[in-house]
Amino acid sequence: MHTPANDPRLQARHAVKRDPGNAMAWIMLSDVELEAGDARTGAAAAQRALQLAPGHPEALARLGRGQWMLGHLAAAADSLRAAARQAPQHAGIAVWLAHVLEDTGEAEAASESYARAHTLLPEHPQIAGYLLAWRRRLCDWTDLDHLSRQVRDALRAGQGAMEPFAFLSEDSSPAEQLACARLRAHEVAARVTPLPPAPPRSGGPLRLGFLSNGFGSHPTGLLTVAFLEALAARGGSNIHLFALNGDDGSAIRQRLAAISRMHDVSAQPHAGVAAQIRQAGIDVLFDLRGWGGGGRPEVLAMRPAPVQVNWLAYPGTSGAPWIDYVLADPVVLPDELAAHFSETVVRLPRCFQPSDTRREIPPPPPRDACGLPEEATVLCCFNNSYKINPASFARFMQILRGVPDSVLWLLSGPGQADARLRRAADKAGVDPSRLVFMAKQPQAHYLARLQLADLFLDCNPYNAHTTASDALWAGCPVLTRPGATFASRVAASLNHHVGMDHMNMADDDAFIARAIELGNDRGQLASVRAELEARRSSTGLFDMDGFATDFLAAATRMHQRLPTPPRTGSLGS
């Protein structure tokens, strides 16, 4: 692989060779190796620094970061806590500790660590962004408006203020989302050297590559497995999956491996992943993570494939010059939104989101086993807690007040999120006992429970995506209010493609009125559910054979537009 003379990894390696007894040289080497995605080498360099300078907080912090990247969470937390004790005024160490505490399940401690970092550097917009995003997850709405303003003001000033994925939860415009993504892409591009252009490949079926950290029992795996099986059965392409996650032993992972060439690249640095994609001769590479956590934008920035596509997992624009196309549909990405996407838009004729149509739906458990009253109308929202913001929650409370015999069934959140929502309900004049929480369940158990829900209530500005598809598959109608961004239009697209446009409301008032109307009229609600049951099999939403045909046609069009895809406009509709 081409290595430029000014490569920071090469320079750092030369520095430790020149002065192997210099702890700071090893710390700098650790830093650049971790930035390059090489966790093992980065952690080893930090350990060498600690041998030379025991207890050095910078070395401990980098060791913890490397351990975190390797999945050694308990060890990472120990290392970063030790670093924080040695350097209590170091905001960066507090941030890295908070990242790790998120993953160890110490949710409230993570919030305290982010708050500590923000206290140390109150004007730092990225730290404000971390605190804002985590408080949303905890349904802790303290200073939410202030933090959001700080982040958006920084963005307008051209500062990289927040991770683009977290920014989707803000009440932001499509133009702001594009600006946020472009700033992040600029940061990545500054650290990456692209590969030389790939030589043209001629002959043979189209080679399609998919890069994700979700090839297993994960929303991405659940959404794509049946479609990929249909694509493999159809022929006409070779399927290569580049898994950023190790084998989780799940049935989904086994099904994916059975119909593709599975490349486990979970332990490889960015350059190693890019080299493997290039070696496989991929014609069109689909990024199934984007700016979401666990992705590898650095790999895509190296340009391992001649055509690279943003699809499925990140519901917004990449803002990245190395992504040529975004795969969408006319509802989720209408013409007026395309101007705020850096990619050329390719639209499928059906919903852009596939689904696992081989999933069995077991019989539902008794209501009392789930904490649900036997005769109540069960309104549900199984979105992740960060999607339930004060405005969406206020809508829910107004609906509960308007449907007196109803309960609201929610997915249990991290830390004290459930208790905070109950307190918010009480403050809104709703009995907190009318909020029922469900712990995360295995997929089959979750689908069984969904059958007990009468109506799914969506959130804004970040809709239900996989959860909306799950609800429709289980026969639970979804009420949504589409907005101006991709992330706020996914549930509307699902409803449209299952023939249920009348469940897409024009505004909040209409959403609340329709929910109250259905909640108080069991007969009308039963009719809507019967309509959904009939349409699930008669419309194209859950037709994975048809989806595979459309997908391959779109991939072929994108491949044929080489070598200079247009930067605006749309292919197909």
Side-chain angles (χ1 to χ4, degrees):
M1 179 172 293
H2 175 66
T3 303
N6 62 348
D7 177 33
R9 297 174 78 190
L10 192 62
Q11 293 175 349
R13 289 169 184 171
H14 285 326
V16 297
K17 284 183 180 178
R18 288 194 302 269
D19 191 1
N22 185 333
M24 282 307 301
W26 286 99
I27 288 170
M28 295 305 298
L29 175 60
S30 175
D31 202 54
V32 296
E33 295 290 0
L34 294 172
E35 286 296 323
D38 192 338
R40 286 195 175 89
T41 303
Q47 287 171 327
R48 177 59 182 146
L50 287 168
Q51 291 171 356
L52 295 168
H56 196 297
E58 298 284 3
L60 283 166
R62 284 156 181 78
L63 175 59
R65 185 181 170 195
Q67 291 165 328
W68 176 55
M69 292 168 65
L70 291 167
H72 305 155
L73 300 181
D78 288 344
S79 296
L80 281 157
R81 280 195 173 103
R85 286 193 296 270
Q86 294 290 333
Q89 302 302 308
H90 196 306
I93 289 175
V95 166
W96 279 110
L97 175 58
H99 289 345
V100 172
L101 294 175
E102 286 188 30
D103 290 349
T104 59
E106 298 171 78
E108 299 297 331
S111 184
E112 291 168 9
S113 196
Y114 283 131
R116 169 75 176 159
H118 189 249
T119 299
L120 292 169
L121 288 177
E123 303 305 317
H124 196 293
Q126 189 172 44
I127 293 176
Y130 287 136
L131 178 59
L132 172 61
W134 193 242
R135 281 188 174 168
R136 287 199 183 279
R137 284 189 179 272
L138 294 178
C139 299
D140 178 358
W141 300 328
T142 306
D143 294 331
L144 216 60
D145 290 342
H146 170 75
L147 290 167
S148 187
R149 279 196 303 273
Q150 181 180 355
V151 166
R152 294 175 73 181
D153 287 348
L155 180 63
R156 280 190 286 272
Q159 301 174 21
M162 195 170 188
E163 286 294 325
F165 183 82
F167 193 64
L168 298 178
S169 295
E170 301 309 304
D171 196 12
S172 54
S173 69
E176 286 178 302
Q177 291 185 1
L178 173 59
C180 181
R182 278 181 166 155
L183 284 169
R184 183 74 175 91
H186 181 74
E187 292 172 359
V188 171
R191 302 195 303 265
V192 170
T193 301
L195 297 170
R201 194 184 68 82
S202 59
L206 199 63
R207 293 185 187 174
L208 302 180
F210 301 84
L211 179 69
S212 176
N213 68 336
F215 291 132
S217 185
H218 178 279
T220 298
L222 291 165
L223 289 175
T224 57
V225 62
F227 142 66
L228 289 171
E229 287 169 337
L231 186 63
R234 187 190 184 288
S237 66
N238 289 329
I239 301 170
H240 293 253
L241 305 185
F242 297 90
L244 298 171
N245 58 308
D247 189 346
D248 62 358
S250 66
I252 297 292
R253 178 77 169 214
Q254 292 171 13
R255 286 170 62 188
L256 289 167
I259 50 86
S260 70
R261 172 76 185 276
M262 179 72 75
H263 306 263
D264 186 342
V265 295
S266 57
Q268 293 194 25
H270 306 319
V273 179
Q276 198 155 335
I277 294 169
R278 174 63 62 86
Q279 186 176 8
I282 298 303
D283 296 311
V284 184
L285 178 65
F286 294 86
D287 181 11
L288 271 59
R289 197 58 193 157
W291 295 121
R296 297 280 200 99
E298 296 86 355
V299 171
L300 280 297
M302 292 178 187
R303 269 286 182 183
V307 177
Q308 301 187 157
V309 185
N310 169 16
W311 177 51
L312 193 60
Y314 181 71
T317 181
S318 68
W322 56 81
I323 299 291
D324 306 300
Y325 298 102
V326 58
L327 192 60
D329 66 61
V331 177
V332 81
L333 208 170
D335 287 341
E336 59 268 26
L337 184 52
H340 302 291
F341 273 65
S342 61
E343 307 92 340
T344 296
V345 179
V346 177
R347 294 185 177 95
L348 297 172
R350 65 192 74 224
C351 182
F352 81 103
Q353 180 179 282
S355 181
D356 183 7
T357 50
R358 288 179 53 186
R359 291 177 292 174
E360 296 285 339
I361 304 178
R367 277 193 168 198
D368 60 1
C370 302
L372 299 170
E374 195 61 40
E375 300 300 323
T377 298
V378 178
L379 308 171
C380 77
C381 177
F382 294 137
N383 284 336
N384 277 312
S385 54
Y386 61 86
K387 297 184 182 182
I388 302 177
N389 58 25
S392 289
F393 192 75
R395 290 193 318 193
F396 294 165
M397 295 302 98
Q398 193 168 340
I399 293 165
L400 286 179
R401 290 192 298 268
V403 186
D405 67 341
S406 65
V407 296
L408 180 62
W409 200 10
L410 301 169
L411 186 67
S412 186
Q416 298 300 310
D418 300 358
R420 290 189 178 96
L421 290 178
R422 283 201 169 105
R423 288 196 294 271
D426 187 52
K427 188 175 180 181
V430 173
D431 184 347
S433 67
R434 294 177 65 190
L435 271 58
V436 180
F437 291 92
M438 178 181 71
K440 287 191 176 181
Q441 303 286 327
Q443 177 70 190
H445 295 178
Y446 168 56
L447 291 175
R449 283 159 174 75
L450 257 172
Q451 296 169 94
L452 299 176
D454 294 305
L455 179 65
F456 189 107
L457 302 178
D458 202 8
C459 298
N460 289 87
Y462 201 147
N463 278 180
H465 294 182
T466 307
T467 45
S469 178
D470 291 339
L472 295 173
W473 181 245
C476 178
V478 174
L479 189 70
T480 189
R481 193 267 290 164
T485 64
F486 190 120
S488 68
R489 302 182 62 82
V490 173
S493 174
L494 290 161
N495 275 342
H496 171 78
H497 287 95
V498 81
M500 303 281 284
D501 283 284
H502 59 84
M503 298 297 284
N504 297 338
M505 300 294 103
D507 53 36
D508 282 354
D509 289 342
F511 180 96
I512 293 165
R514 182 62 170 154
I516 291 173
E517 179 185 20
L518 289 171
N520 286 316
D521 188 337
R522 296 293 183 89
Q524 189 178 171
L525 188 55
S527 295
V528 172
R529 293 175 67 87
E531 179 186 1
L532 173 58
E533 182 64 29
R535 290 183 178 278
R536 279 192 312 165
S537 57
S538 63
T539 57
L541 179 63
F542 294 114
D543 176 8
M544 291 303 100
D545 289 330
F547 188 97
T549 298
D550 297 339
F551 186 94
L552 184 57
T556 301
R557 291 200 306 275
M558 289 185 277
H559 177 59
Q560 289 172 346
R561 285 296 180 100
L562 281 174
T564 54
R567 302 310 304 164
T568 59
S570 173
L571 293 175
S573 61

